[in-house]
């Protein structure tokens, strides 16, 4: 056995070993296609900084687990502290379920019944160990990481489509995980590092050569992408969101910036930045002249640029200009912000060596993104769209785009989530009031917070007396549809692809798209 004084202190991380293959098991799920050989704890921790602990040379590990309820015999359990609970409260349960060792930021003491390793940062350690456990699948893929407040899902899915499609290019994002030969529903935009590496490992085994992943600020802050070998990192924009977590826009930006500066353990090989965003321009300035950065934009000079933008109810047209050429683009994606999203996807592919004129041949076959300006067509004589916009900036852009292509009234249904940043509620309502003719404010995942409190925060906006506050979301959608006439447009915003609502710990089925179709059919009957 190794005592406290015998563990290596302040050692540098060594390269991931490929001396063994083993049954991979992420959170208790075993992939039968893997050869069953298990690494031991000492191999996994070789060269990784540990502060104290006790471990056995011969302890074998079957899986890496962060949820004590999913521990199985042979698991290495990581006791992670969270916003609502702390994994250290459940180490005894992990022991009872068969964990062979505990990784923690606490000293569990000489009398603790099984091996443990005390580390400075358990999340960072989880990322490093996960990468080693799965034999560094990120080195076998060209990885693009996309971050930004708005547009991550559209840019990621559009990039995937343009550069090869879901059979060749993996995807980790808000809507789904594409693994080459199969697709899984997403359970988190940027999952825990152990799940990221498990997904990447499956992509490699399924023949993918590239992957695109959405990188959220929470994922960066909580070290889920620490040490990930990113080929291209893309910065889309930064607007107010998650301030309840980050506390300020400056802190929010500092977290996003880590993906580009090497603070996440590695620098990306290349960066793509939107210089129409002030924070994007700040990022470029702070990265310095030695960083390989390719910029894109509409309103500012950039390496890849759109000009002569024309918006229509069924398409968008613009001129695409890049250093070696230019061409006219006709896109099925609606609105100015989708021009920016398309620029981001084209620029990502461009820095990977792909030719824009070849990429855009595939644009007409892009099926769109579920819940992102998704058009609902059920024979009604007005336009109806469902969108995920849930920040004041996204709502302002959505309303602005629809206003430009709508000859009649613009009617918006939206809400503000509960147990989240309260300071964004009034700006969200203000953005909608400035852009829409009729506004229906309603429920959008109230969680444990009362709708009365949420509505009160929204009513801080001057002139909110003209807004219809309706607690039942289905009723609000129904009233909006009743108010719509020929040439009008109804936007149902906030939930997009989501198929549920959260009320005080209860998740209830609710899909804006299905509800809208059902109501239209009832009204047409």
């Amino acid at each position: 056995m190794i005592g406290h004084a015998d563990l290596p202190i302040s050692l540098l991380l060594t390269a991931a070993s490929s001396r063994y293959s083993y049954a991979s098991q992420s959170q208790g799920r075993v992939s039968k296609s893997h050869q069953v050989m298990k690494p031991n704890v000492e191999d996994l921790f070789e060269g990784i900084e540990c502060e104290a602990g006790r471990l056995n040379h011969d302890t074998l590990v079957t899986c890496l687990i962060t949820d004590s309820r999913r521990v199985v015999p042979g698991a290495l359990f990581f006791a992670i502290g969270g916003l609502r609970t702390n994994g250290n409260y459940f180490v005894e349960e992990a022991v009872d379920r068969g964990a062979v060792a505990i990784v923690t930021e606490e000293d569990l003491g000489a009398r603790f019944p099984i091996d443990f390793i005390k580390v400075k940062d358990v999340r960072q350690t989880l990322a490093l160990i996960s990468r080693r456990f799965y034999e560094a699948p990120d080195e076998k893929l060209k990885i693009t990481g996309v971050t930004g407040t708005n547009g991550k899902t559209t840019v990621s899915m559009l990039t995937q489509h343009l550069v090869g499609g879901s059979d060749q290019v993996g995807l980790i994002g808000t809507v789904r995980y594409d693994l080459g030969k199969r697709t899984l529903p997403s359970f988190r935009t940027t999952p825990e590092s152990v799940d990221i590496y498990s997904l990447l490992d499956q992509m490699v085994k399924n023949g993918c050569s590239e992957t695109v992943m959405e990188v959220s600020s929470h994922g960066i802050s909580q070290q889920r992408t620490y040490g990930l070998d990113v080929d291209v990192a893309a910065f889309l924009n930064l607007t107010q969101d998650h301030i309840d977590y980050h506390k300020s826009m400056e802190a929010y930006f500092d977290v996003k910036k880590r993906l580009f500066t090497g603070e996440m353990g590695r620098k990306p090989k290349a960066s793509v930045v939107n210089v129409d965003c002030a924070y994007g321009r700040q990022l470029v300035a702070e990265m310095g002249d030695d960083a390989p950065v390719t910029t894109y934009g509409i309103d500012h000079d950039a390496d890849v640029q759109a000009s002569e933008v024309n918006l229509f109810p069924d398409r968008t047209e613009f001129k695409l200009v890049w250093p070696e050429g230019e061409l006219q683009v006709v896109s099925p994606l609606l609105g100015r912000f989708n021009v920016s999203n398309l620029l981001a996807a084209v620029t990502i592919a461009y820095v990977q060596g792909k030719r824009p004129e070849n990429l855009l041949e595939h644009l007409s076959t892009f099926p769109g993104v579920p819940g992102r300006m998704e058009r609902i067509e059920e024979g009604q004589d007005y336009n109806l769209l469902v969108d995920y916009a849930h920040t004041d900036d996204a709502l302002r852009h959505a309303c602005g785009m629809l206003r430009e292509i709508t000859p009649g009234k613009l009617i918006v249904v939206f809400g503000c989530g509960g147990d989240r940043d309260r300071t964004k509620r009034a700006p969200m309502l203000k953005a909608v009031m400035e852009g829409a003719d009729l506004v229906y404010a309603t429920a959008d995942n109230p969680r444990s917070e009362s709708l009365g409190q949420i509505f009160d925060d929204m009513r801080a906006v001057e002139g909110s007396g003209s807004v219809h506050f309706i607690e039942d979301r289905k009723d609000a959608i129904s009233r909006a549809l009743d108010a719509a006439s020929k040439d009008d447009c109804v936007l149902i915003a906030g939930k997009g692809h989501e198929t549920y609502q959260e009320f005080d710990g209860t998740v209830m089925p609710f899909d804006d798209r299905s509800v809208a179709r059902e109501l239209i059919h009832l009204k047409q009957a």
Side-chain angles (χ1 to χ4, degrees):
M1 302 288 286
I2 298 178
H4 286 56
D6 300 314
L7 274 175
I9 302 296
S10 301
L11 295 179
L12 296 174
L13 174 64
T14 58
S17 169
S18 58
R19 291 173 291 174
Y20 44 72
S21 59
Y22 36 76
S24 71
Q25 183 174 349
S26 174
Q27 306 289 31
R29 299 185 296 274
V30 178
S31 174
K32 295 180 180 179
S33 64
H34 290 206
Q35 184 179 352
V36 181
M37 293 179 62
K38 308 180 185 76
N40 61 52
V41 174
E42 189 174 44
D43 284 337
L44 289 175
F45 276 86
E46 181 182 350
I48 291 180
E49 182 176 346
C50 304
E51 295 186 341
R54 185 182 68 240
L55 62 85
N56 191 308
H57 289 279
D58 300 321
T59 299
L60 300 180
V61 175
T62 60
C63 56
L64 312 178
I65 301 292
T66 61
D67 185 339
S68 61
R69 296 167 297 183
R70 302 173 75 174
V71 169
V72 294
L76 180 61
F77 177 65
F78 291 77
I80 295 176
L83 296 176
R84 296 178 177 85
T85 187
N86 189 323
N88 289 287
Y89 299 157
F90 305 103
V91 293
E92 291 183 3
E93 179 183 6
V95 172
D96 291 341
R97 288 178 177 270
V100 293
I102 307 293
V103 184
T104 175
E105 293 174 11
E106 299 183 4
D107 191 336
L108 300 181
R111 296 181 181 276
F112 193 71
I114 65 171
D115 297 341
F116 72 93
I117 304 97
K118 181 176 183 290
V119 296
K120 182 178 181 181
D121 188 326
V122 70
R123 282 189 176 276
Q124 188 177 110
T125 302
L126 173 63
L128 297 173
I129 295 297
S130 297
R131 187 172 190 268
R132 181 166 292 179
F133 188 92
Y134 286 100
E135 297 187 308
D138 53 330
E139 291 183 349
K140 302 159 191 166
L141 295 161
K142 288 183 179 178
I143 295 179
T144 297
V146 179
T147 197
T149 307
N150 304 309
K152 293 190 297 295
T153 300
T154 299
V155 171
S156 296
M157 296 180 75
L158 185 54
T159 301
Q160 179 196 41
H161 178 79
L162 293 179
V163 302
S166 59
D167 289 342
Q168 301 175 43
V169 183
L171 178 74
I172 298 175
T174 304
V175 175
R176 65 179 188 249
Y177 305 144
D178 288 331
L179 308 179
K181 294 181 179 178
R182 64 184 183 129
T183 297
L184 301 176
S186 171
F187 54 86
R188 182 181 284 171
T189 296
T190 307
E192 288 290 355
S193 54
V194 62
D195 295 307
I196 289 175
Y197 285 106
S198 173
L199 294 170
L200 296 178
D201 181 56
Q202 293 179 64
M203 291 176 196
V204 170
K205 289 176 169 57
N206 288 337
C208 291
S209 58
E210 301 182 39
T211 190
V212 185
M213 63 180 293
E214 298 180 45
V215 183
S216 68
S217 60
H218 286 69
I220 298 172
S221 174
Q222 296 173 13
Q223 311 276 24
R224 300 177 204 161
T225 58
Y226 187 85
L228 189 69
D229 190 359
V230 175
D231 290 271
V232 180
F235 179 91
L236 307 184
N237 50 64
L238 197 74
T239 61
Q240 182 173 336
D241 201 10
H242 308 306
I243 301 303
D244 55 323
Y245 181 84
H246 296 294
K247 306 307 179 187
S248 70
M249 286 297 293
E250 290 71 24
Y252 185 21
F253 174 66
D254 285 342
V255 168
K256 291 283 192 184
K257 188 171 63 175
R258 294 178 198 168
L259 182 64
F260 301 84
T261 61
E263 293 176 75
M264 294 305 296
R266 296 172 184 266
K267 273 189 175 183
K269 297 178 180 67
S271 297
V272 167
V273 180
N274 176 16
V275 290
D276 284 342
C277 173
Y279 284 103
R281 297 193 295 274
Q282 182 178 340
L283 176 62
V284 171
E286 294 186 15
M287 289 172 66
D289 296 334
D290 59 337
V293 179
T294 303
T295 60
Y296 71 91
I298 304 171
D299 300 319
H300 290 76
D301 289 338
D303 299 310
V304 180
Q305 194 159 9
S307 63
E308 302 175 17
V309 177
N310 293 298
L311 307 177
F312 300 95
D314 60 346
R315 69 191 187 282
T316 303
E317 298 180 1
F318 64 93
K319 181 189 289 185
L320 174 68
V321 181
W322 68 99
E324 293 82 22
E326 62 180 53
L327 58 81
Q328 194 67 26
V329 177
V330 179
S331 168
L333 301 175
L334 303 181
R336 192 176 182 84
F337 64 89
N338 269 324
V339 175
S340 184
N341 290 336
L342 182 55
L343 282 178
V346 169
T347 307
I348 289 167
Y350 173 70
V351 301
Q352 293 177 340
K354 299 176 175 67
R355 296 172 61 90
E357 59 268 37
N358 296 337
L359 297 171
L360 293 171
E361 294 175 359
H362 306 290
L363 184 57
S364 62
T365 61
F366 181 58
V369 180
R372 270 62 173 181
M373 283 297 162
E374 183 174 348
R375 192 188 299 271
I376 307 298
E377 296 275 7
E378 296 295 331
Q380 76 277 9
D381 61 358
Y382 52 86
N383 203 5
L384 175 58
L385 298 112
V386 172
D387 193 69
Y388 191 54
H390 60 281
T391 67
D392 62 307
D393 186 70
L395 288 164
R396 186 174 293 106
H397 279 88
C399 289
M401 180 273 285
L402 293 175
R403 174 67 75 191
E404 288 187 86
I405 63 175
T406 300
K409 300 189 302 294
L410 176 58
I411 304 166
V412 177
V413 180
F414 86 109
C416 298
D419 298 336
R420 296 295 187 268
D421 180 10
R422 293 177 59 185
T423 66
K424 65 185 278 190
R425 293 171 183 167
M428 286 173 66
L429 180 58
K430 183 178 180 183
V432 176
M433 288 174 60
E434 290 173 348
D437 297 291
L438 282 174
V439 180
Y440 293 86
T442 187
D444 181 348
N445 296 334
R447 301 180 178 88
S448 66
E449 193 171 358
S450 73
L451 269 172
Q453 177 63 66
I454 295 171
F455 285 172
D456 284 347
D457 289 342
M458 297 170 74
R459 286 190 176 103
V461 178
E462 184 177 350
S464 61
S466 64
V467 175
H468 302 278
F469 287 89
I470 301 170
E471 292 194 359
D472 184 88
R473 190 174 180 91
K474 184 174 182 179
D475 185 26
I477 294 172
S478 179
R479 296 193 192 194
L481 299 184
D482 286 340
S485 303
K486 187 176 184 298
D487 294 330
D488 290 347
C489 178
V490 177
L491 170 65
I492 306 172
K495 296 183 62 59
H497 66 284
E498 292 179 352
T499 57
Y500 60 87
Q501 280 205 87
E502 294 182 59
F503 287 93
D504 198 19
T506 301
V507 177
M508 302 177 62
F510 196 99
D511 185 328
D512 284 344
R513 300 161 296 183
S514 298
V515 169
R517 290 188 175 100
E518 174 193 347
L519 289 170
I520 291 172
H521 290 161
L522 287 173
K523 295 174 190 298
Q524 290 173 340

